[in-house]
Structure formats: C-alpha cells, structure tokens
Amino acid sequence: MRRIAILNQKGGVGKTTTTVNLAAALAKAGQRVCVLDLDPQAHATTHLGIEPDGKSPSMYDVLVNSRPLAEVRRRVADNLWIAGSDINLAAAEVELAGVVGREVILRDVMLHEEGAFDFVFMDCAPSLGVLTLNALAAANEVFIPLQPHFLALHGMGKLFETTALVARRLNPSLKVTGIVLSLFESSARLAREVVADLQDYLERSRAANSPWSKARIFETRIRRNIKLAECPSFGKSIFEYAPHCNGAEDYAALAREVLGEPAPQVLATRVELDERGQMAVLSVESNSLPEPEPTSVPS
C-alpha cells in the first residue's frame, strides 16, 4: 500500500486539486484509493461532495478520540473513499499538545489499514503543524505540487528540511518521490527556467543521502484549466464534471505515470470511459518543452 502525503506549505499551488483528481484517476483505473483530509478547511471533503457540517465522524475523531478509520471513511465513488475533515480538526493542534507521541497517532492507525487500499493520499494543510507531522510520520512517499514560479521554488528548501527532520527522527522510510508541476503554462519562459533550475538541483542531490535524492519531476504538466477550479463547487472530481477537458486529460496522464506505465512525454492524453467506466487512452501529445532557439554570436 502506497501512503502518499501531498505537501506544500504554500497555499494555492494545487494540493487539494491534485489529491482529489489524482485519487479519482487512479480509482477509475481500478485502484482502491482512500483520501485522508487533514486540512481543517475541509476542501478535499467538499470537493468529493460531502458537506463538512461538524456532525459526521471525521479525522478529528480518528486523531483525538481514537476512532477507527473504518468508521470514519465514506465511499464516494467506485474504488474511492474519503475520511473527511471539518472545522473541529483545527482544535486537534491544541488538544493534542500535551499528548505523548502525538506526531505518530496516524501512523499507528494506519497499521490497522495495511493492505486495505492500493493508495492512501493525505491532503495536508499549508502549514507544518501536528497534523502535517502526522501525515509525514504515516507516509512512505511525499508528492509536492509546485507552481513553476521562483518564489514557490524558493520554498522548496523548507519542505526538504522538514522531510529530512521527520525522516531522521520519526520515519526513516519517508522519501520525496515526485514533484507535480501545476498551473503550468508551457509558453511561459519563466516556467521553463524554473523547471530547469529544479532539475539541476535534484541532479546535484543524487549522490546525497537525503529523502529527496531520488525525487523526480513528473513529465505530465497540469495545465492551468478553469474546469479544475469549477468542479469543487459541484462536489465532483474533474472526471465527473468535465471528463474531456485538459484537466481530466492531465490527471489521467499523471495517474499513468504514478502507476509506472510508459507515458513519459505526456502533456495531454485523450481519454474516454469504456462501458465499465474504466479509462481508455485514445491519443497522446508530447509535452516536451520546446528547445530554445539558437542564438548567433556576433563576430
């Protein structure tokens, strides 16, 4: 079972969008997937059509009241479950302050879930508090959604420091395995420069014994797409809301990469659903960044 924390301390970079739609894409591909909403804002919960009213069992009950995860999660689609959040989760930071071993509560809970799913995605808040530490202690992988801007790239150092600290003290198996480029505009020179800088940094880290030494930038770029911004207000994943838009194509391609299928140079896959509701890839477009134009050197 792959336990993946979706993490970035910067808001607005596509954490919840990636968590929900990648989970939905993998579920469509036949994988059993569970989403854990660890953000008190409950955006992943709302995105999947559940009202965070504070009355239903939530991740607050799991972390604070020792309620089994099986009693909290709800099935929202074929092969897809969510353990939701609500505003009560904001109190968990305070209520767990004096609890011994508060950073590993979720890890202990997940021991009873081993093998129940193929993937567990943890949608983390844009902070590095107790909730995020629980996700990192329970995860074996970290995916980082990154908008290709220099300020977002600058914040990567803090993320790497945090994962290194958690790996050293709480979870030696924790690895940063993937970086998802979101809100991507292939025509922007800045995006290409940021990707090049990030790739150079990762290459220089290969020899180091760090949690991100084997991290890769996923070849699939999640393009800026208005449908991805609209679908949460309808309580649907992009595959239910607009299955033929660029956003659905990109997350379907990303799911193929996560599964290790050979779809490296992909920006968009043309997707249809067959009679069983499974994804069928009809065509693939390259997403290789254009080569820079040659420049002449004055004599």
Side-chain angles (χ1 to χ4, degrees):
M1 183 170 74
R2 294 176 66 178
R3 303 184 303 276
I4 302 171
I6 309 291
L7 176 66
N8 196 322
Q9 86 279 11
K10 188 177 186 301
V13 296
K15 289 188 301 298
T16 299
T17 298
T18 294
T19 301
V20 168
N21 292 304
L22 178 55
L26 289 165
K28 289 285 186 185
Q31 303 293 305
R32 290 170 58 83
V33 186
C34 184
V35 173
L36 307 184
D37 191 349
L38 292 171
D39 188 345
Q41 296 179 96
H43 289 170
T45 304
T46 303
H47 201 324
L48 286 171
I50 297 175
E51 180 65 29
D53 54 13
K55 300 175 183 178
S56 302
S58 70
M59 288 302 299
Y60 171 84
D61 297 287
V62 173
L63 295 171
V64 177
N65 298 326
S66 303
R67 193 158 185 171
L69 196 58
E71 295 181 7
V72 173
R73 62 174 178 255
R74 297 167 65 175
R75 185 174 178 174
V76 292
D78 289 344
N79 296 321
L80 182 59
W81 288 259
I82 183 168
S85 172
D86 55 45
I87 193 60
N88 291 327
L89 193 59
E93 297 271 357
V94 177
E95 294 183 38
L96 293 174
V99 176
V100 176
R102 59 189 176 274
E103 299 92 352
V104 296
I105 294 173
L106 185 58
R107 182 185 68 184
D108 294 342
V109 169
M110 294 302 297
L111 290 176
H112 300 287
E113 296 289 313
E114 190 62 45
F117 300 98
D118 299 301
F119 289 86
V120 173
F121 288 102
M122 290 164 267
D123 185 32
C124 300
S127 66
L128 298 174
V130 170
L131 297 175
T132 299
L133 287 177
N134 264 271
L136 292 175
N140 47 33
E141 298 181 56
V142 174
F143 285 179
I144 300 176
L146 179 73
Q147 187 177 3
H149 291 172
F150 279 116
L151 288 179
L153 184 62
H154 182 73
M156 291 283 289
K158 181 64 175 178
L159 282 176
F160 288 155
E161 289 176 14
T162 301
T163 56
L165 182 64
V166 172
R168 186 165 61 250
R169 297 187 177 179
L170 295 174
N171 184 4
S173 65
L174 183 67
K175 304 293 181 186
V176 178
T177 54
I179 296 170
V180 181
L181 294 173
S182 56
L183 299 168
F184 192 81
E185 298 178 68
S186 59
S187 61
R189 179 178 177 181
L190 176 61
R192 297 196 296 273
E193 291 175 350
V194 170
V195 172
D197 287 347
L198 179 57
Q199 189 65 61
D200 180 64
Y201 176 82
L202 293 176
E203 289 300 325
R204 287 186 280 109
S205 302
R206 298 303 181 205
N209 184 22
S210 64
W212 60 89
S213 61
K214 296 183 180 179
R216 64 166 172 154
I217 304 172
F218 286 111
E219 294 291 341
T220 302
R221 281 38 166 158
I222 308 302
R223 290 168 287 179
R224 188 182 294 275
N225 181 248
I226 189 61
K227 298 296 183 183
L228 288 171
E230 292 173 354
C231 63
S233 62
F234 292 88
K236 297 179 178 181
S237 75
I238 194 62
F239 300 99
E240 297 171 297
Y241 179 68
H244 305 300
C245 73
N246 290 345
E249 294 169 352
D250 293 347
Y251 277 109
L254 180 61
R256 287 170 59 86
E257 276 199 83
V258 171
L259 288 171
E261 297 183 18
Q265 297 292 326
V266 172
L267 174 61
T269 36
R270 190 64 185 170
V271 176
E272 294 284 358
L273 301 183
D274 62 20
E275 63 276 4
R276 296 176 299 167
Q278 302 293 310
M279 290 189 299
V281 179
L282 301 183
S283 63
V284 174
E285 301 173 15
S286 172
N287 79 332
S288 299
L289 296 175
E291 293 292 333
E293 295 182 3
T295 57
S296 58
V297 179
S299 55

